[in-house]
Amino acid sequence: MIRPRHLLQSLLVASTLGAVTIPAFADAPCGPMGGAGGYREHRAERMEQHHKKVHDALKLTAEQEVAWKKLVDSEHPMHKPEPGKAEDWAKLTTPERADKMLERMKTHEAAMTSHIAVLKEFYAVLTPEQRKIFDDSHRGTRRGGMRGKP
């Protein structure tokens, strides 16, 4: 039989523990990388590491360095632009939001087209051995599931 005194003590302990833990969750970052800012910083750091690794592996000549710098610089405009304020999007109708998303897609497509042109210029100045290294460094790995399997 549950006594009222024991029930009251249990409720008091449980509510005290709950009240103590709430502040710990109040500032908890959302998402795997601690929010959007943390993810962007992490991604930029990983991209920089990748660039350094590929650059070192290619052993570029002075003439190739110019093309390499141009290639790396062409990637920066492709970073996702900061979205507009939530209030601005909330005021738009569904067709207006769709038009805005289409505009962003066209901007991204133009940046990607420009980047691919620079990529092709860089690839053209590489030796066959360097091309193999470059291709291998951008092949990517497939992880988990049936992805990449026939």
Side-chain angles (χ1 to χ4, degrees):
M1 179 162 80
I2 299 177
R3 296 184 182 160
R5 183 175 180 185
H6 290 257
L7 180 63
L8 183 62
Q9 288 175 342
S10 297
L11 287 174
L12 181 63
V13 168
S15 64
T16 302
L17 288 174
V20 169
T21 59
I22 287 174
F25 292 110
D27 292 330
C30 183
M33 301 305 295
Y39 175 75
R40 287 191 184 106
E41 291 168 6
H42 175 74
R43 182 165 181 210
E45 183 180 313
R46 293 289 306 260
M47 184 66 79
E48 198 173 306
Q49 291 171 358
H50 172 73
H51 286 160
K52 183 175 178 3
K53 180 180 172 185
V54 173
H55 181 270
D56 293 346
L58 289 174
K59 299 178 180 119
L60 300 172
T61 65
E63 297 83 30
Q64 293 171 329
E65 281 290 337
V66 175
W68 170 260
K69 174 109 174 78
K70 193 173 176 182
L71 175 68
V72 171
D73 290 344
S74 75
E75 290 180 349
H76 293 292
M78 290 175 30
H79 287 263
K80 185 176 180 180
E82 291 293 322
K85 292 181 180 177
E87 312 89 54
D88 297 341
W89 283 85
K91 293 176 185 175
L92 299 176
T93 65
T94 301
E96 290 170 336
R97 279 193 295 269
D99 286 339
K100 266 193 168 293
M101 291 188 315
L102 183 60
E103 286 175 34
R104 285 183 176 192
M105 287 176 64
K106 288 178 180 177
T107 302
H108 183 80
E109 182 182 14
M112 189 68 180
T113 301
S114 172
H115 173 68
I116 290 171
V118 173
L119 173 70
K120 288 179 180 179
E121 290 175 22
F122 174 71
Y123 199 80
V125 300
L126 296 177
T127 65
E129 297 83 24
Q130 289 173 321
R131 287 181 182 179
K132 182 172 179 354
I133 293 168
F134 190 76
D135 289 342
D136 289 344
S137 70
H138 289 89
R139 196 169 313 281
T141 58
R142 299 283 183 168
R143 291 177 269 156
M146 296 295 291
R147 289 183 277 164
K149 295 183 181 180

